[in-house]
Amino acid sequence: MPDDIDELQRKVEEAAAKIETPQDLQRFKEEFLSRKRGIIPGLFKKIPTLPPQERSSFGKRINELRELAESLFKKAEERLKGNLWRERLRKAIPDPTLPGYFKPLGSVHPISEVSHTIEEIFLRMGYDIEDGPEVEMEYFNFDALNIPPHHPARQEQDTFFVGGGYLLRTHTSPVQIRAMRKRKPPIRIIVPGRVYRRDEADPTHTPMFYQIEGLVVDRGISFAHLKATLETFLKALFGEETGVRFRPSYFPFTEPSAEVDISCPVCGGKDPNCSVCGGAGWIEILGAGMVHPEVLRAGGIDPEEYSGFAFGLGVDRISMLKRGLTDIRNHYWNRMDFLEQMK
Ligand code: FA5
């Protein structure tokens, strides 16, 4: 019997040394100390079956063994509690020696960046920024801009109609009317925003793009003001050396109207094979003109007393030019390699 007890003590010590988890602890208790099924309590039940002279020493021996098992149990329990605390602490206290987490920084989208640059130039010239709805009334998008239902200019801009007299605005010009009705002259505003046309996406077109409208209304505003303003703006945007020219054109809402070109910012007209200007040396950059008297009237302004000029430009095309892009769709593909280069 003493041999068996020594063997059992070794088992108890080994099992206690291997306790790593609360489950191990529980198993140890059940195997050796549980009143019902534990090995050590089971040995006490054997005492009455032993010869009387052995009972006392046997009883003493298994008592010692039980005390040992209980103390090993307690120590293991303490050890596990300590581990738990250390684990909690490890989680709670940041380790300054670990490498930091890398959070990639975003940046302003190229379209927004160009838009902000243009806005800043006009803000410096004393303009306000005006806003208007993207889901616009047909009346503001066309009729009030001197484009009646039968007018061929309605067909020029393939339109997303949404029903009930509403459409996705095809240009930012309807905000001219809204601003004239809201403000009193002198009016000096720019209107940045999204516009929509049923244009097939290709390297120079997308069905949604950005425009910036400009409108000035006051007494005595002339084409000279328009010319000086746009020259100042375009030189500030593309550089002092940039050439600016006005070509006669037609818009129903301006009279007279002009297309404005700048000298090619890539080759300056020196490369007959230039991919940007095709060798022409000039690039069309915006539409402009003196506000048509009918448009002033639609805005509630007397054309006998006031005159004004307006212009509209495509922000995406300007971003292309400034960055030397060959495909306007790059702005909308959300490709990180492209956006990273535009930072
Ligand atoms: C207009 O939209 C006039 N409202 C501009 C204007 C305002 C003239 C005030 C006179 C007075 P246009 O249709 O040309 O004009 O468009 C203006 C610019 O939008 C173009 O020069 C071009 O840069 C850009 N644009 C037109 N269609 C697209 C398209 N599908 N994708 C990207 N940019 C486009």
Side-chain angles (χ1 to χ4, degrees):
M1 190 57 77
D3 280 354
D4 289 354
I5 302 282
D6 287 346
E7 175 62 23
L8 182 58
Q9 181 169 335
R10 256 193 310 280
K11 266 188 168 178
V12 167
E13 285 165 345
E14 270 172 28
K18 281 187 190 151
I19 294 173
E20 299 272 346
T21 64
Q23 289 78 9
D24 294 343
L25 193 67
Q26 186 59 25
R27 241 176 270 128
F28 179 90
K29 192 175 189 176
E30 276 167 18
E31 186 174 356
F32 300 109
L33 294 168
S34 152
R35 264 182 217 291
K36 280 190 185 153
R37 288 183 303 276
I39 298 175
I40 300 172
L43 290 176
F44 282 99
K45 290 176 198 146
K46 280 192 177 170
I47 293 177
T49 67
L50 295 174
Q53 65 276 23
E54 284 180 21
R55 287 180 194 168
S56 146
S57 65
F58 182 77
K60 195 168 165 252
R61 184 75 182 89
I62 53 176
N63 250 334
E64 285 165 1
L65 182 58
R66 185 180 58 190
E67 275 162 24
L68 175 74
E70 278 171 355
S71 100
L72 287 176
F73 176 84
K74 277 232 139 17
K75 275 189 192 145
E77 196 176 40
E78 291 300 310
R79 183 160 51 81
L80 285 193
K81 268 190 200 156
N83 285 351
L84 215 67
W85 264 110
R86 266 190 294 283
E87 179 67 7
R88 281 199 190 144
L89 276 177
R90 194 183 63 74
K91 282 186 182 152
I93 300 171
D95 180 351
T97 63
L98 290 174
Y101 294 109
F102 173 67
K103 275 203 175 164
L105 273 187
S107 58
V108 178
H109 190 274
I111 297 273
S112 306
E113 205 250 347
V114 173
S115 203
H116 294 164
T117 306
I118 296 172
E119 286 162 27
E120 267 162 33
I121 296 171
F122 282 104
L123 287 173
R124 284 206 297 273
M125 291 200 267
Y127 284 64
D128 283 345
I129 294 183
E130 185 63 77
D131 202 8
E134 288 174 32
V135 180
E136 181 57 281
M137 287 164 71
E138 252 180 80
Y139 173 78
F140 284 122
N141 196 83
F142 292 128
D143 306 67
L145 289 170
N146 202 28
I147 315 175
H150 61 270
H151 200 286
R154 285 218 184 188
Q155 269 80 58
E156 272 169 28
Q157 297 181 353
D158 275 334
T159 308
F160 292 108
F161 289 98
V162 295
Y166 284 87
L167 46 74
L168 299 185
R169 67 180 177 190
T170 59
H171 51 177
T172 41
S173 301
V175 187
Q176 286 188 30
I177 309 293
R178 290 180 175 275
M180 283 191 271
R181 291 188 179 188
K182 203 162 80 179
R183 295 164 179 255
K184 295 245 165 306
I187 296 170
R188 222 177 314 164
I189 55 156
I190 53 163
V191 185
R194 289 193 194 96
V195 302
Y196 303 81
R197 293 184 193 177
R198 282 182 48 202
D199 282 344
E200 210 61 59
D202 68 22
T204 52
H205 294 83
T206 48
M208 186 284 291
F209 57 100
Y210 288 78
Q211 285 192 339
I212 294 184
E213 190 83 7
L215 173 71
V216 171
V217 179
D218 202 356
R219 289 190 182 89
I221 297 293
S222 73
F223 202 93
H225 294 117
L226 169 63
K227 200 158 180 275
T229 302
L230 290 182
E231 272 176 10
T232 307
F233 158 60
L234 291 168
K235 282 176 190 288
L237 187 62
F238 289 101
E240 268 310 307
E241 65 295 343
T242 309
V244 179
R245 77 176 186 188
F246 286 65
R247 280 181 294 109
S249 185
Y250 170 75
F251 294 101
F253 34 93
T254 47
E255 180 59 35
S257 304
E259 300 273 7
V260 181
D261 299 344
I262 55 164
S263 55
C264 177
V266 174
C267 77
K270 294 189 189 85
D271 177 4
N273 302 315
C274 177
S275 64
V276 174
C277 71
W282 294 94
I283 298 162
E284 183 194 313
I285 201 88
L286 53 84
M290 300 305 292
V291 181
H292 195 288
E294 284 304 322
V295 174
L296 288 173
R297 269 191 210 103
I301 288 173
D302 180 2
E304 300 300 325
E305 192 179 350
Y306 293 100
S307 56
F309 67 74
F311 57 88
L313 54 87
V315 181
D316 308 50
R317 298 260 176 92
I318 290 183
S319 166
M320 272 181 95
L321 268 182
K322 277 189 78 70
R323 301 170 198 276
L325 304 179
T326 50
D327 197 321
I328 203 166
R329 292 171 293 184
N330 271 305
H331 292 121
Y332 302 106
W333 280 328
N334 267 343
R335 279 177 31 191
M336 287 305 286
D337 55 347
F338 167 76
L339 294 171
E340 295 257 307
Q341 286 176 54
M342 297 297 119
K343 274 187 190 170

